[in-house]
Amino acid sequence: MSATTFGWLILLCPLLGTVVIALAWRWLPGASAGWIATLAIALSFGLSVAALIALLGRHPAHRELSSTLWSYASSVGLDAKLQILVDPLSVFMALVVSGVSTLIHLYSVAYMASDRGYRRYFAYLNYFVFSMLLLVEAANFLLLIVGWAFVGAASYLLISFWYRRRTATAAGIKAFVVNVVGDVGLVLGTYFIFKHLGTLDFLKVFAGVKDAFAPNQGDLVAGCVLLLVGAFAKSAQIPLHTWLPDAMEGPTPVSALIHATTMVTAGVYLIARMHPLFEHAPAAQDVGAIIGCLTLLIAGTIGLAVTDLKRVIAYSTMSQIGYMIMGVSVGAYAAGLFHLMTHAFFKALLFMAAGSLIGAMAGEQSLDRMGGFRKAMPFTYVCFIFGGLALSGVPPFSGFFSKDEVLLLTANQGGWHWILYVGGYLGALLTALYTWRMIFRAFHGEPVPEALELERGTIAHGHPFNPATGEQEDTDVGFPGPEHHTAERAASMRIAMAVLAALALLGGLIQIPHFDNAISNFLRPAFADSSLYDQSPSDTLLVVGLVLGALLGVLGILIAYRVWVQRPGTAERVRRRLAPVHRLFVEKWYFDELYDIVFVRSGAAIGRFAQLSFERVVVNGVLVGGSAGLVRAGSAAVRALQDGLVRVYAALLVFGVAAVALYFLLQSS
Amino acid sequence: MIALSLVIWLPLAVSLLAALLPGQWSGRVAAAGSLVTLGFAVSLLFGFDTHVGGLQDVTDKVWIGELGTHYKIGVDGLNLALVLLAALLFAAAFVAAAMREWERPSTFFVWLGLAQSAVFGALLAQDLLLFVAFFDLMLIPFYFLTGGWGGPNRVAATTKLVIYTLVGSLLMLAAAIATGVLAEPSGGHLSFVLSDLRALGLSKGSQEWIFLCFAAAFLVKMPAFPLHAWMPDGYRAMPLPVLAVFSGVLSKVGAYGFLRIVLPLFPQASAHYQTLMLLIALASILYGSVMAFTQTDMRLIVGYSSVAQLGFITLGIFALRPAGAQGAVLQMVNHGLVTAALFFIIGVIAARAGSEDIREMGGIAFRAPVLAALFLIVALATLAMPGSSNFVGEFLILLGAFQAKIVIAIVAFTGVVLASVYALRAFIRAMHNRLGESVESHEIGLRDVVVIAPLVLVILAIALDPQVALIRGQRTVTASISAAQAIVNPPSAAAGVPITTGTPASPGTVSPPAGAAQQLPQRNGGSGPSSSAGSSSGGSGP
């Protein structure tokens, strides 16, 4: 079978999984839905490997294959087909997405076991993975937008999975609407490109872009910046990031899925896929690089201040995606995608470990209430350490290699990119600080009652109240579930986490500078037309970067150890001294408040105004009243004689027609 | 091959026949008749020849000789999809209505049958006076259906409805007569046949006032801002099956009138008033969307969302570009399907919540997963999520607007974002969150499933292959806007491109609208859905 056949089958498996679970849910006993879903994604992963082998069997110059099923919207100049593109980039993405998602499914089988929405959960989860695979395999703009929106819809469904919680439905609609803003950016960007090239097909667009546009031509820059709007919305970059922290309302494995593979990486993929456009519009590249750098810094500072365990990890995702966006925006495609892969490993691991911890805390997520879990949950603790070391970029963990490569190539651009370089390393220090703050606060110090209970062999059962609103939880929909699961006890959770821990440790080894460079070499055919792909920065810069990265990571961990383990009061003192700054961080730089005032409140106010004044006074009063008054006056005589609407109508019609006919007969004679 | 007249008059004939039967039978027979009509309409789809432009299955008889008016009906790419839509939605309405108890059932079904016949007539008419006659006939049954079987406020609602549509109808009638008379060549014959009128043409001055009369009638019908004041009361008062067809089909006849009558007959006026119409469309989009997310009455949420969606359709039509018009026709079908489905779903939800107000709903999904799934699919299609056919329609509409007036297109995108807010808000407030106080949630019953599920299946089917609708429409749709397009976007400018670009590689001077228009004829030939799945790979195996 050829690579494209595998490409279609990769999509078919999760789609079938969704359909089967959705239609047959009533008859699926016990945990079977979970196993069907896991199997579907595992098959997708196997087929991705097969596609990889099929591609490697071809000459590097012939590794871009496309295949069409049917014409989707081909009319009036549009040429949208149901068409996939199988090339090294899409296969790479498919491998990461399906591989890590398989492990997340496996983990979910145990984690969600006692949830009343178990089967619905797995139908959504398969749909989510299907959407992401569609996104990365799409061969034209229209299909890309479809995959793009499917991902948004799937995330909505999963974020508001526990839909009896008002906080969950609010978070869901927020994510959906912000993502629609991104979709709009993508559609408008497509229009700008279609306007000049007259095609939606990626390969034709990429081939024609240099002839159709001058470098940095207005329409191309506008198109690329609008594509970036789409990327920012999906990848939670400033200023469209506000949905991501709220997305923590979903079950923890969903967070793992959103953060590691299926959603936030889409923006990174988009910029890499569109590299022929972006390289021809350097102004747009600069926008991407600057936003990426800003995001990684701002998210790092917020991560330092929030106390919700999952939100700390969420802000770290934002920050890490900032690195990737910066990387692919300066032409460091292989490095950015390499970081995407390693990040998928350690971020999925961290969320799974967090899920295990939250299970032990009976749904409680606040770091303020956690502590001393080291002895109670040794396996989870080790996973946190592995994930934390990889995230902080400590050698030889995977994050070390990938993050430094991104920054190295950023510096190689020279000029003002050195500011981004410095920002990136500052972000690395912040990363180490907030990561280890989280780990030390959760696992060190005095054990909390839940930890002690777990040490005694029982799991705490908590307070059925929503921490965000104080509302009593509605356990009918499964939250927080009658039973809890921790990695210490559930085999499928432990297996998934162990595999990811190994990958977090070893995943960086496949792309060591001057040594193997496997990812760069594999991806090269997809970037054959790029002028930025093969850069050779000086070895001095390389060594300085690696050493600096390692040192900053270790330094951050040491500071965190001193502040949160050795001298527990330090953080409190710093917080008091820098109260306004702390406030700014805790309030997430006031983005939510700003949007609330500018969009939500003003939108509602306009609506109320329209309803109360305009609709009531102008439309109903003047227009209806006026015309009604006119008719009433005119028909008063008729009414007096014969009541009833029909007669009025008939009379008017007859008079009207007669008058008009008379007029024209007089005219034409 | 079935004569189109059969399709037109069958619903009325069946419902009259059914009226002779005892109470509960009249509904069943009428419903069965509507399914037969649907079958005939579907056979039209299969009998349709996509390779031929122009009318098919034409019946042409002199109706009133002295007035030059003919009973001329025919099907082409412009009305084929709408006839199917009307047949489907009326069938759904008949079936839904047949399963409920009505006072005076036989009269009710006669009115509904008359409405269907009139709608078919208006869609298929190829003579101006015949169109006007059917258009007015179409409204009368709805006055009686609202006034006789409507909700509490039905008298005021009917009054508003009558006044508004009556004013529009009279203006249109006057304009139609004027069109025929003014177009009459000296010494020639008076004729109201559309193809004759199109060949004759009017002076620009006459076109302009006649345009305004027709526009008023069609905009009231849609309704468009600010002529929508009859809508809230009307929508609240109508019985749900009636409302489903009214909102699903009748509003489209207005939009269809622009493409069938106004643009081909009054191209200069259409070009002249293009900006005005685009602004009305934009205002409808924004106003409808904002109102839709402040309403709490489910019917009005859908009603105002229709104002916004019809705004998009108007936007596509008056972009005066092939993409916009194609999108508009596709979107008429899409919107008809989703609004009708939504109104049926509202009925099901209201039966569980005891109210049609979203403040009294909530949490219905938990014991009704199938209902929730159906509602979710329809809600996502309503907000034109990519992957739905609604998105393809909106994509084409906005592409047309983008090519015509870029600023208006960009502002119109606000409506896309707002649509996601109001559609999801309605879904969440009804199905999710805590259980409402008087809500008794239970699964959707078989009676409702047989009405809603087919609509949802059709929505899913055209989502997978919107090409089915596009391929049949493109010739006629492009033809109906071509005259007006030629005025706003003269072909000379497009033809000038190769001359000005001496060097072919010179960037940025490729003219896409011209390119798009030129590509069209080549595409008509064999762009049917290409077959065979996995085997159609781009390259051979390793």
PDB file of all heavy atoms in Angstrom, chain A residues 502-515:
ATOM      1  N   ALA A 502      10.015   7.660  30.158  1.00  0.00           N
ATOM      2  CA  ALA A 502      11.185   7.212  29.406  1.00  0.00           C
ATOM      3  C   ALA A 502      11.427   8.120  28.216  1.00  0.00           C
ATOM      4  O   ALA A 502      12.570   8.517  27.935  1.00  0.00           O
ATOM      5  CB  ALA A 502      10.976   5.768  28.952  1.00  0.00           C
ATOM      6  N   LEU A 503      10.331   8.493  27.537  1.00  0.00           N
ATOM      7  CA  LEU A 503      10.493   9.367  26.369  1.00  0.00           C
ATOM      8  C   LEU A 503      10.956  10.768  26.779  1.00  0.00           C
ATOM      9  O   LEU A 503      11.745  11.402  26.072  1.00  0.00           O
ATOM     10  CB  LEU A 503       9.176   9.471  25.600  1.00  0.00           C
ATOM     11  CG  LEU A 503       8.793   8.218  24.822  1.00  0.00           C
ATOM     12  CD1 LEU A 503       7.372   8.323  24.307  1.00  0.00           C
ATOM     13  CD2 LEU A 503       9.757   7.996  23.662  1.00  0.00           C
ATOM     14  N   ALA A 504      10.482  11.238  27.930  1.00  0.00           N
ATOM     15  CA  ALA A 504      10.917  12.553  28.400  1.00  0.00           C
ATOM     16  C   ALA A 504      12.415  12.536  28.670  1.00  0.00           C
ATOM     17  O   ALA A 504      13.113  13.532  28.473  1.00  0.00           O
ATOM     18  CB  ALA A 504      10.150  12.945  29.655  1.00  0.00           C
ATOM     19  N   LEU A 505      12.888  11.397  29.107  1.00  0.00           N
ATOM     20  CA  LEU A 505      14.326  11.283  29.382  1.00  0.00           C
ATOM     21  C   LEU A 505      15.120  11.139  28.088  1.00  0.00           C
ATOM     22  O   LEU A 505      16.133  11.809  27.888  1.00  0.00           O
ATOM     23  CB  LEU A 505      14.565  10.077  30.302  1.00  0.00           C
ATOM     24  CG  LEU A 505      16.025   9.702  30.569  1.00  0.00           C
ATOM     25  CD1 LEU A 505      16.746  10.864  31.246  1.00  0.00           C
ATOM     26  CD2 LEU A 505      16.109   8.472  31.442  1.00  0.00           C
ATOM     27  N   LEU A 506      14.641  10.269  27.200  1.00  0.00           N
ATOM     28  CA  LEU A 506      15.470   9.873  26.061  1.00  0.00           C
ATOM     29  C   LEU A 506      15.081  10.553  24.748  1.00  0.00           C
ATOM     30  O   LEU A 506      15.850  10.502  23.790  1.00  0.00           O
ATOM     31  CB  LEU A 506      15.378   8.357  25.872  1.00  0.00           C
ATOM     32  CG  LEU A 506      15.769   7.536  27.103  1.00  0.00           C
ATOM     33  CD1 LEU A 506      15.452   6.076  26.884  1.00  0.00           C
ATOM     34  CD2 LEU A 506      17.245   7.718  27.417  1.00  0.00           C
ATOM     35  N   GLY A 507      13.919  11.170  24.708  1.00  0.00           N
ATOM     36  CA  GLY A 507      13.401  11.679  23.435  1.00  0.00           C
ATOM     37  C   GLY A 507      14.314  12.687  22.762  1.00  0.00           C
ATOM     38  O   GLY A 507      14.286  12.843  21.530  1.00  0.00           O
ATOM     39  N   GLY A 508      15.137  13.372  23.539  1.00  0.00           N
ATOM     40  CA  GLY A 508      15.997  14.385  22.946  1.00  0.00           C
ATOM     41  C   GLY A 508      17.166  13.813  22.194  1.00  0.00           C
ATOM     42  O   GLY A 508      17.829  14.510  21.418  1.00  0.00           O
ATOM     43  N   LEU A 509      17.427  12.540  22.433  1.00  0.00           N
ATOM     44  CA  LEU A 509      18.656  11.977  21.880  1.00  0.00           C
ATOM     45  C   LEU A 509      18.606  11.773  20.376  1.00  0.00           C
ATOM     46  O   LEU A 509      19.644  11.583  19.752  1.00  0.00           O
ATOM     47  CB  LEU A 509      18.965  10.632  22.555  1.00  0.00           C
ATOM     48  CG  LEU A 509      19.127  10.717  24.080  1.00  0.00           C
ATOM     49  CD1 LEU A 509      19.462   9.358  24.656  1.00  0.00           C
ATOM     50  CD2 LEU A 509      20.211  11.717  24.444  1.00  0.00           C
ATOM     51  N   ILE A 510      17.405  11.823  19.774  1.00  0.00           N
ATOM     52  CA  ILE A 510      17.379  11.560  18.333  1.00  0.00           C
ATOM     53  C   ILE A 510      17.803  12.785  17.530  1.00  0.00           C
ATOM     54  O   ILE A 510      17.961  12.701  16.329  1.00  0.00           O
ATOM     55  CB  ILE A 510      15.999  11.065  17.849  1.00  0.00           C
ATOM     56  CG1 ILE A 510      14.942  12.128  18.074  1.00  0.00           C
ATOM     57  CG2 ILE A 510      15.615   9.775  18.510  1.00  0.00           C
ATOM     58  CD1 ILE A 510      13.660  11.787  17.354  1.00  0.00           C
ATOM     59  N   GLN A 511      17.942  13.915  18.169  1.00  0.00           N
ATOM     60  CA  GLN A 511      18.382  15.102  17.418  1.00  0.00           C
ATOM     61  C   GLN A 511      19.452  15.816  18.233  1.00  0.00           C
ATOM     62  O   GLN A 511      19.223  16.834  18.861  1.00  0.00           O
ATOM     63  CB  GLN A 511      17.182  16.021  17.138  1.00  0.00           C
ATOM     64  CG  GLN A 511      17.543  17.422  16.685  1.00  0.00           C
ATOM     65  CD  GLN A 511      17.261  17.671  15.236  1.00  0.00           C
ATOM     66  OE1 GLN A 511      17.158  16.734  14.459  1.00  0.00           O
ATOM     67  NE2 GLN A 511      17.180  18.924  14.845  1.00  0.00           N
ATOM     68  N   ILE A 512      20.687  15.253  18.217  1.00  0.00           N
ATOM     69  CA  ILE A 512      21.788  15.908  18.924  1.00  0.00           C
ATOM     70  C   ILE A 512      22.650  16.603  17.880  1.00  0.00           C
ATOM     71  O   ILE A 512      22.997  16.013  16.863  1.00  0.00           O
ATOM     72  CB  ILE A 512      22.617  14.876  19.712  1.00  0.00           C
ATOM     73  CG1 ILE A 512      21.735  14.254  20.796  1.00  0.00           C
ATOM     74  CG2 ILE A 512      23.828  15.538  20.346  1.00  0.00           C
ATOM     75  CD1 ILE A 512      22.415  13.170  21.569  1.00  0.00           C
ATOM     76  N   PRO A 513      22.947  17.894  18.091  1.00  0.00           N
ATOM     77  CA  PRO A 513      23.738  18.614  17.094  1.00  0.00           C
ATOM     78  C   PRO A 513      25.036  17.889  16.776  1.00  0.00           C
ATOM     79  O   PRO A 513      25.691  17.356  17.674  1.00  0.00           O
ATOM     80  CB  PRO A 513      24.021  19.958  17.784  1.00  0.00           C
ATOM     81  CG  PRO A 513      23.012  20.084  18.857  1.00  0.00           C
ATOM     82  CD  PRO A 513      22.643  18.708  19.275  1.00  0.00           C
ATOM     83  N   HIS A 514      25.384  17.844  15.542  1.00  0.00           N
ATOM     84  CA  HIS A 514      26.625  17.215  15.054  1.00  0.00           C
ATOM     85  C   HIS A 514      26.645  15.722  15.272  1.00  0.00           C
ATOM     86  O   HIS A 514      27.659  15.071  15.037  1.00  0.00           O
ATOM     87  CB  HIS A 514      27.880  17.825  15.706  1.00  0.00           C
ATOM     88  CG  HIS A 514      28.087  19.247  15.332  1.00  0.00           C
ATOM     89  ND1 HIS A 514      28.093  19.690  14.047  1.00  0.00           N
ATOM     90  CD2 HIS A 514      28.288  20.343  16.106  1.00  0.00           C
ATOM     91  CE1 HIS A 514      28.296  20.999  14.030  1.00  0.00           C
ATOM     92  NE2 HIS A 514      28.398  21.418  15.272  1.00  0.00           N
ATOM     93  N   PHE A 515      25.569  15.157  15.760  1.00  0.00           N
ATOM     94  CA  PHE A 515      25.631  13.729  16.047  1.00  0.00           C
ATOM     95  C   PHE A 515      24.670  12.930  15.172  1.00  0.00           C
ATOM     96  O   PHE A 515      25.084  12.239  14.252  1.00  0.00           O
ATOM     97  CB  PHE A 515      25.369  13.498  17.533  1.00  0.00           C
ATOM     98  CG  PHE A 515      25.439  12.043  17.927  1.00  0.00           C
ATOM     99  CD1 PHE A 515      26.642  11.350  17.865  1.00  0.00           C
ATOM    100  CD2 PHE A 515      24.298  11.360  18.330  1.00  0.00           C
ATOM    101  CE1 PHE A 515      26.715  10.017  18.214  1.00  0.00           C
ATOM    102  CE2 PHE A 515      24.368  10.025  18.673  1.00  0.00           C
ATOM    103  CZ  PHE A 515      25.571   9.348  18.620  1.00  0.00           C
TER     104      PHE A 515
END
